Amino acid sequence: MKAAVFHGPGDVRIEEVPEPTAGAGEVKIRVLACSMCGTDLKIFRSGHFRISPPRVMGHEIAGEIVEIGAGVTGWAAGDRVQVIAAIPDGTCEECARGHQTVCLNQESMGYQYEGGFAEFMVVPPSVLAVDGMNRIPDGVGADEASVTEPLACVLNGQELAGVGPGDVVAVFGAGPIGCLHVRLARSRGAARIIMIEVNRERLQLAADLVHPDDTVCAEDGDIIEQVRKLTDGRGADVVITATAAGAAQEQALQIAAPRARISFFGGLPKDKPTITLDSNLVHYRELTIVGANGSSPAHNARALELIATGEVPVKDLISVRLPLDRVLDGLQIVAKGEAIKVTIEP
């Protein structure tokens, strides 16, 4: 079968590799759609300490079961399924406390296990053990289901930040994650949503799709002053930094209203992970800063339901669909920001 195999930084090859079979406790699926994200681009460029090449990439996975391994029950050939990316062990102290997103022994599809940029793949027992494979509801396309995983991460972030009815929500970043944050915040009852971006073309592309109430572009002047003007000087109740930019995290504190919650959703580059934080703003405004790290199996199940019910539409966010042999083209499109969401359809 064909697969996109990571051999090292800057070295991803479309290769013929042996087609897998389902062993005991495993399920084999035909990949119908596997979407791309910024993490795929980071792996392509710099690798990852948890990936030992060669490894098939891709972790936003939807497919159709073609083979059931011994001991697996409740599933049948022909079932369409969505697969989690981050796999908690379900047994460590953090998992026992209900904190599966920070599992001490977390594994991931496309890292320790072969990923979804392939014609076929095997879902390992560790995924099934934590209810990490979800049946795709009728009426939901495999392309839409492949966006479940990033939406699940967004759901985790907004739950941690307490996004709810009446909130003014400011979102830094107009990429696919920023777009999902806008749509999810709307579904959770946010009263007003402000999308903030440094690139005007990217901001316009996103705003035309997800329709935030206001947009703020760095090209139009100081971001902090623009947000303050839009909010009559008060600021936002929730600020989400859906971008890997330290400047956005610093600005987030400046535009936060009293008692606001700030989500450092996007991680920073490992060679520049620190920011200058005005501690007095946190102190005197009684601000809360929270992180957000991936999603749990339960987040995936709820995210797929949000897609199925139409509460968070995602199909129109997929602006580029490519065959498997154009994975490298997809990575370049992601790098240039020329699309909201790129999906590979093997």
Side-chain angles (χ1 to χ4, degrees), residues 202-223:
R202 191 161 178 80
L203 179 61
Q204 192 63 52
L205 177 65
D208 287 345
L209 283 171
V210 299
H211 305 293
D213 297 288
D214 301 285
T215 58
V216 168
C217 183
E219 296 179 21
D220 293 330
D222 184 80
I223 285 173

Side-chain angles (χ1 to χ4, degrees), residues 161 166-170 191 234-239 255-262:
D167 282 334
V168 175
V169 178
R234 182 173 179 272
D237 299 296
V238 181
V239 186
I255 67 170
R259 288 279 180 112
R261 293 87 69 198
I262 300 166

